[in-house]
């Protein structure tokens, strides 16, 4: 299996984070000291914080049955042991047939390779939005 295939396998495993947020799953995907910056700007440090938040979400009425829908857009190797993966995705709730475009986020992931295994060391979600009014004004010629 190539490095790219191993990384894509990990990103596919991430789709279970809302359905089966178990310690075993998180340890198979993340480094122990992983960083996660949510699209709301919260900085979660380590598997314990990351897992706790995802378990709380999965146990809540609102997120019950939610599914992470994502698509990898780019895998870029910065070195033989470091890769940056850009993906787009969103949470599809149980009452939705599809994810609305205005709910998409872009996700930046930093994978590291240790002992021939790729794990996610850091990732950040940002809601995808078009340019705001001020940006449009400053971009005019």
């Amino acid at each position: 299996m190539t490095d790219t295939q191993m990384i894509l396998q990990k990103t596919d495993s991430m789709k279970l984070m809302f359905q089966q947020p178990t310690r075993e799953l998180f340890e198979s995907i993340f480094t122990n000291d992983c960083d996660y910056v949510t699209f709301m700007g919260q900085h979660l440090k380590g598997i314990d914080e990351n897992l706790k938040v995802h378990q709380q979400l999965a146990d809540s009425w609102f997120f019950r049955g939610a599914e992470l829908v994502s698509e990898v857009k780019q895998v870029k190797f910065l070195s033989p042991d470091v890769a940056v993966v850009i993906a787009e995705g969103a949470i599809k709730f149980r009452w939705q047939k599809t994810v609305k475009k205005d709910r998409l986020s872009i996700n930046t992931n930093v994978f590291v390779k240790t002992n021939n295994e790729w794990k996610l060391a850091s990732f950040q979600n940002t809601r995808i939005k078009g340019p705001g009014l001020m940006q449009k004004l400053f971009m005019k010629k």
Side-chain angles (χ1 to χ4, degrees), residues 9-130:
Q9 190 175 46
K10 294 288 179 169
T11 61
D12 277 346
S13 296
M14 291 175 71
K15 294 177 180 178
L16 298 174
M17 288 173 34
F18 288 93
Q19 296 167 328
Q20 300 170 356
T22 63
R23 175 156 293 282
E24 294 78 20
L25 174 68
F26 277 63
E27 287 177 349
S28 73
I29 297 171
F30 302 104
T31 61
N32 287 331
D33 62 347
C34 64
D35 290 294
Y36 171 31
V37 179
T38 70
F39 77 89
M40 299 294 288
Q42 182 182 14
H43 182 188
L44 304 177
K45 299 176 185 179
I47 285 179
D48 289 337
E49 283 187 28
N50 192 354
L51 175 60
K52 180 181 176 184
V53 166
H54 282 88
Q55 285 175 328
Q56 288 172 341
L57 291 172
D59 289 343
S60 73
W61 173 88
F62 192 73
F63 278 86
R64 188 179 38 223
E67 177 185 351
L68 175 61
V69 178
S70 67
E71 179 183 357
V72 171
K73 298 294 188 176
Q74 175 182 307
V75 178
K76 181 190 287 186
F77 291 92
L78 304 181
S79 75
D81 299 331
V82 177
V84 174
V85 177
I86 306 294
E88 286 183 8
I91 301 301
K92 184 174 76 110
F93 295 101
R94 64 185 176 277
W95 57 84
Q96 295 177 307
K97 291 185 181 184
T98 61
V99 173
K100 294 183 181 194
K101 191 172 180 174
D102 66 349
R103 293 205 48 257
L104 285 175
S105 293
I106 193 159
N107 180 284
T108 305
N109 306 270
V110 178
F111 280 87
V112 294
K113 188 177 184 182
T114 308
N115 299 325
N116 207 33
E117 183 178 18
W118 287 96
K119 290 204 176 183
L120 192 49
S122 183
F123 65 114
Q124 178 170 349
N125 290 323
T126 305
R127 183 74 77 201
I128 298 172
K129 294 182 180 183

